[in-house]
């Protein structure tokens, strides 16, 4: 054993040992309880960042800990490998997306291995591999057969910079989630997956996600967005047309002063003669930050009071929600308020706050519930009662229908890109839409494609790909040239891991698949909160589809979810644009991966943001160096000692017994901190306290040296999930076999962890007046007697009568006088 701690020497050694011995390879074992631990897999951008280090270190601690607790642990890793950056690299550098992607995977895999992560690489997947994406296509075809995949013409979110369609969830504040460009509306034929078929189930099951952060569950519920409302018919004056609107606020019907149609609404083109003006509004469709309207020249009739209302085309009304038409109540909707002010439309108040008799001129909309005013026979009713009564009357008179709506829209998956899964569809002039037969899967991406960066899918330029024979009639046909949204790839990869590399297959054999039913669902899922809607909702949808195909039994993919915080440096999230990035390679080369892991786990609880600190990294390295030095200084004597001699602490010195007590307290603290809420920072703090105690311990005889060995071995086992390399090396230096990764997690004794004495705090009327050292475990009545008989107690009471004496958790007595 060398005198100085040198991670450059020991870490590659143990990484090679784990790999050579397949220590983390996992097989199904029905006799053992399983634990499936999974971190969200990365996009192979070329380099890992500190966010990756933190995410994967968290998962690795959990996986290693559970393995030591006797669980059969599945801990896989793979690559979310399709995506636009690979095409951009092809355009910029002339490198094929496949080459760029696989080179990045190779480099990043090496980086992950340097971190000492306990992955079962035999289960690795890369979503750009045809062996993987053939099943994207197979799932698509099964959905098509069940009516869950369909094609329609629609306005889509179009990113001009990426030259592709974006799902609603990928538009953040009207900008592209990937490149931040302003998103515009474009009408295209698109393929959709019918996620709305599962809207009610997805919503109801949110209440079962008890292992998820409450804020994430709330985000899921809000995105699904179930609402109860009324569909009401507004007849267009002088025609037989009817505008059906949807509203959740039937109590405001008397306040409607105009009606708005979405630009794609079928009546928009019918009511507007000036096509050029309509085109202007349509071009701004969905850009709600700029509210644009066009008066059609037509009027409709409010069904509750017969009032004549002007009809507008408005860019902020979405065809995808409700009916694509709204009644506008500017006094009670801020968006309508701003529109009415811009176009000089009357504003009529019909809701007043409870207890208010008059209101000043409105400067903004009053959107809360209240008491109805100016509402005919409903004036004086509370909003909740009025909504129900107005809706019932509208139904009775045949002028409306109560309706449940969801904000959730079907998932548009068509993308005008090359580097994605080809949609397995053929278009024949004679047969129409023809699904690719299963025997012809996978539809593989062609290699003869030029990447220019100009709009449209590069696949459309490949004649060898586009021109095919119709599988039904044998005539000439063409392939679909759009590829699938890459969120399809990540919506079921966790299921693929359960089968293993090269073994992914769903179209034969016993169903439900026994391996899937053994491993699924994921017991602990770990990733960023930025995926709270997109990825998690799609995964929940896909898992239900796969369940309904009979392949698995479960509907929910993830039992527990941990959303780790960001890594912050200089007051901002680490990013290249801010110039505050710390390179993990530099950190590992200088301090070692154990130090990198320890700092990222100690600096903050997993769910909180981590503030970067160079001093913190150096402190983590010094801590590991102190443990190393402690073993080195005592190695000769430790090699003659035995930890088995301290199992019951009998015959030990007072100092030895105190250190054994500290070790058992540390085992308990670390175990409970990991088990309860993964509070790794406080677990590590407890280990640091134990190491400090060991450094101050001066063994006087063989019994004391046995104690030191016991405490060191305990420390190494407890440290093993956090800093596995140094734990293995020092465990080996103590001539222990097998390594820490194959050891059982230590257990504590409540008796040995109990203090001989405790500090008893005495309060009088809630203020601390005295402290006593008393034997641990005394009954409450004895504690109360000690407190009352203390000299300082008598002084502070000054003869006052004692009204009540309260003992709290055996450590505090409060005297009320």
């Amino acid at each position: 054993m060398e005198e100085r701690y040198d991670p450059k020497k020991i870490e590659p050694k143990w990484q090679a040992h784990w790999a050579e011995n397949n220590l983390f390879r996992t097989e199904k074992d029905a006799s053992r309880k399983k634990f499936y631990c999974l971190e969200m897999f990365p996009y192979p951008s070329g380099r890992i960042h500190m966010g990756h280090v933190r995410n994967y270190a968290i998962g690795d601690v959990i996986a290693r800990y559970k393995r030591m607790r006797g669980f059969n642990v599945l801990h896989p890793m793979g690559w979310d490998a399709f995506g636009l950056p690979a095409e951009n690299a092809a355009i910029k550098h002339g490198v094929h997306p496949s080459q760029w992607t696989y080179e990045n995977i190779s480099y990043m895999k090496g980086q992950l291995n340097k971190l000492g992560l306990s992955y079962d690489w035999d289960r690795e997947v890369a979503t750009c591999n045809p062996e993987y994406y053939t099943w994207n296509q197979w799932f698509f075809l099964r959905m098509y057969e069940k009516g869950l995949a369909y094609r329609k013409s629609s306005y889509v979110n179009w990113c001009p910079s990426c030259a592709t369609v974006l799902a609603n969830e990928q538009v953040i504040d009207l900008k592209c989630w990937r490149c931040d460009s302003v998103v515009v509306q474009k009408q295209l034929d698109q393929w959709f997956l019918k996620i709305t078929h599962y809207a009610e189930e997805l919503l109801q099951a949110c209440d079962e996600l008890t292992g998820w952060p409450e804020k994430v569950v709330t985000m899921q519920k809000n995105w699904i967005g179930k609402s109860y409302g009324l569909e009401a018919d507004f007849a267009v004056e002088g025609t037989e047309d009817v505008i059906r609107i949807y509203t959740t606020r039937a109590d405001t019907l008397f306040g409607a002063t105009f009606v708005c149609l979405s630009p794609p609404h079928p009546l928009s083109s019918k009511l507007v003669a000036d096509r050029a003006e309509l085109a202007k509004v349509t071009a701004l469709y969905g850009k709600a930050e700029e509210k644009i309207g066009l008066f059609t020249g037509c009027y409709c009739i409010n069904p509750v009071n017969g009032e004549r209302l002007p009809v507008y085309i408005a860019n902020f009304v979405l065809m995808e929600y409700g009916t694509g038409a709204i009644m506008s109540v500017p006094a009670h909707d801020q968006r309508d308020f701003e529109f009415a002010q811009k176009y000089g439309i009357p504003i009529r108040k019909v809701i007043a706050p409870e207890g208010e008799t008059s209101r000043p001129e409105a400067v903004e909309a009053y959107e809360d519930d209240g008491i109805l005013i100016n509402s005919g026979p409903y004036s004086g009713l509370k909003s909740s009662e009025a909504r129900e009564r107005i809706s019932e009357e509208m139904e009775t008179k045949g002028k409306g229908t109560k309706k449940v709506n969801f904000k959730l829209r079907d998932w548009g998956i068509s993308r005008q890109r090359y580097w994605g899964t080809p949609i397995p569809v053929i278009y024949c002039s004679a047969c129409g839409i023809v699904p690719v037969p299963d025997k012809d899967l996978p539809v593989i991406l062609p290699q003869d494609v030029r990447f220019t960066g100009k709009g449209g899918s590069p696949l459309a330029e490949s004649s060898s790909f586009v021109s095919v024979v119709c599988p039904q009639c044998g005539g000439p046909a063409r392939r679909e040239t759009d590829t699938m949204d890459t969120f399809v790839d990540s919506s079921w990869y966790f299921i693929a891991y359960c089968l293993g590399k090269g073994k992914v297959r769903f179209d034969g054999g016993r169903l439900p698949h026994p391996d899937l039913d053994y491993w699924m669902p994921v017991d602990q899922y770990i990733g960023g909160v930025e995926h709270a809607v997109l990825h998690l909702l799609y995964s929940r949808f896909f898992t239900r589809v796969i369940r309904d195909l009979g392949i698995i039994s479960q509907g929910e993919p993830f039992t527990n979810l941990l959303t780790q915080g960001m890594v912050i440096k200089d007051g901002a999230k680490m990013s290249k644009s801010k110039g505050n990035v710390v390179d993990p390679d530099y950190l590992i080369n200088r301090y070692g991966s154990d130090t990198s892991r320890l700092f990222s786990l100690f600096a903050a609880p997993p769910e909180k943001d981590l503030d970067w600190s160079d001093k913190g990294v150096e402190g983590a390295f010094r801590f590991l160096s102190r443990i190393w030095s402690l073993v080195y200084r005592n190695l000769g004597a430790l090699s003659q000692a035995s930890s088995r001699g301290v199992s019951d602490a009998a015959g030990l010195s007072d100092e030895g017994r105190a250190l054994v007590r500290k070790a058992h307290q540390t085992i308990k603290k670390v175990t409970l901190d990991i088990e309860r809420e993964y509070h790794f920072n406080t677990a590590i703090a407890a280990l640091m306290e134990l190491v400090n105690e060991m450094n101050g311990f001066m063994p006087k005889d063989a019994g004391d040296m046995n104690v030191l060995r016991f405490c060191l071995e305990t420390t190494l086992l407890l440290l093993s999930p956090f800093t596995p390399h140094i734990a293995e090396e020092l465990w080996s230096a103590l001539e222990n076999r097998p390594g820490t990764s194959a050891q059982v997690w230590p257990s504590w004794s409540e008796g040995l962890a109990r203090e001989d004495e405790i500090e008893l705090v005495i309060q009088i009327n809630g203020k601390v007046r005295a402290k006593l050292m008393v034997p641990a475990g005394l009954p409450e009545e004895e504690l109360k007697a000690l407190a009352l008989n203390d000299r300082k107690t008598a002084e502070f009471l000054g003869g006052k009568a004692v009204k009540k004496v309260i003992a709290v958790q055996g450590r505090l007595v409060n005297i009320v006088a």
Side-chain angles (χ1 to χ4, degrees), residues 279-355:
K280 290 178 183 179
V281 180
T282 303
L284 297 170
Y285 173 51
K287 295 179 68 175
E289 78 280 6
E290 184 181 3
K291 297 173 182 62
I292 302 297
L294 172 65
F295 178 45
T296 62
C298 300
Y299 291 82
C300 62
I301 306 302
N302 188 332
V304 295
N305 58 11
E307 187 175 2
R308 192 167 175 259
L309 305 180
V311 179
Y312 283 78
I313 312 298
N315 69 320
F316 60 83
V317 181
L318 301 179
M319 192 65 210
E320 291 78 18
Y321 181 68
T323 62
I326 62 170
M327 66 168 194
S328 296
V329 185
H332 304 294
D333 182 285
Q334 187 61 30
R335 181 188 56 185
D336 295 346
F337 182 87
E338 294 168 5
F339 189 93
Q341 285 193 318
K342 180 174 181 178
Y343 291 99
I345 303 172
I347 298 173
R348 180 189 307 128
K349 301 171 193 172
V350 292
I351 305 288
E354 289 194 48

Side-chain angles (χ1 to χ4, degrees), residues 20 45 159 192 253 286 330 354 405 412 435 474 476 478 529 561 599 626 669 705 708 786:
E20 289 166 5
S45 58
C159 174
F192 290 82
L253 265 164
E354 289 194 48
N405 256 333
R478 60 180 178 86
V529 73
L561 174 68
F599 168 74
R626 283 199 301 272
K669 172 69 173 169
M705 192 53 70
L708 183 60
L786 286 169

Side-chain angles (χ1 to χ4, degrees), residues 24 128 210 273 502 553 625 654 809:
F24 308 122
C128 63
T210 56
S553 300
S625 297
D654 289 345
Q809 295 182 341

Side-chain angles (χ1 to χ4, degrees), residues 41 75 155 173 210 239 245 247 422 522 656 676 708 796:
F41 63 171
H75 189 211
Y155 281 90
D173 295 329
T210 56
T239 75
I245 63 94
T247 180
V522 175
R676 285 174 180 167
L708 183 60
F796 280 106

Side-chain angles (χ1 to χ4, degrees), residues 598-640:
L598 189 68
F599 168 74
S600 68
L601 295 164
F602 177 61
E607 73 279 4
K608 303 293 185 182
D609 289 346
L610 183 157
D611 283 318
W612 183 263
S613 165
D614 293 334
K615 290 183 178 178
V617 175
E618 292 165 2
F621 182 79
R622 285 196 303 271
F623 169 66
L624 296 179
S625 297
R626 283 199 301 272
I627 300 173
W628 183 275
S629 179
L630 184 59
V631 175
Y632 177 80
R633 291 196 316 267
N634 296 281
L635 187 59
L638 287 168
S639 64
Q640 303 301 314

Side-chain angles (χ1 to χ4, degrees), residues 682-695:
T682 54
I684 293 168
L687 283 163
M688 290 177 172
E689 288 182 15
L690 178 58
V691 171
N692 287 339
E693 296 272 353
M694 286 190 289
N695 268 313

Side-chain angles (χ1 to χ4, degrees), residues 86-193:
E87 284 188 55
N88 291 339
I91 295 164
K92 186 174 181 180
H93 304 296
V95 178
H96 194 276
S98 177
Q99 179 184 340
W100 184 85
T101 299
Y102 280 107
E103 286 177 355
N104 288 349
I105 286 174
S106 177
Y107 187 85
M108 290 176 68
K109 186 173 180 179
Q111 288 184 298
L112 295 184
N113 282 327
K114 285 182 181 179
L115 284 170
L117 302 169
S118 58
Y119 292 134
D120 180 356
W121 286 110
D122 284 352
R123 296 175 182 269
E124 177 185 16
V125 299
T127 60
C128 63
N129 188 321
E131 289 183 1
Y132 183 90
Y133 70 71
T134 184
W135 297 104
N136 283 347
Q137 296 170 343
W138 189 84
F139 286 134
F140 175 91
L141 293 174
R142 302 293 80 78
M143 290 190 211
Y144 181 75
E145 291 168 356
K146 291 178 173 291
L148 296 175
Y150 64 92
R151 188 172 187 246
K152 71 172 183 178
S153 177
S154 70
Y155 281 90
V156 296
N157 303 307
W158 178 262
C159 174
S161 176
C162 298
T164 192
V165 173
L166 302 176
N168 290 334
E169 297 89 337
Q170 293 167 315
V171 180
I172 311 297
D173 295 329
L174 303 175
K175 294 181 180 179
C176 173
W177 73 294
R178 190 178 293 279
C179 73
D180 221 30
S181 298
V182 174
V183 174
V184 299
Q185 294 297 305
K186 188 174 183 178
Q187 193 164 21
L188 292 173
D189 286 336
Q190 299 287 297
W191 282 97
F192 290 82
L193 300 183

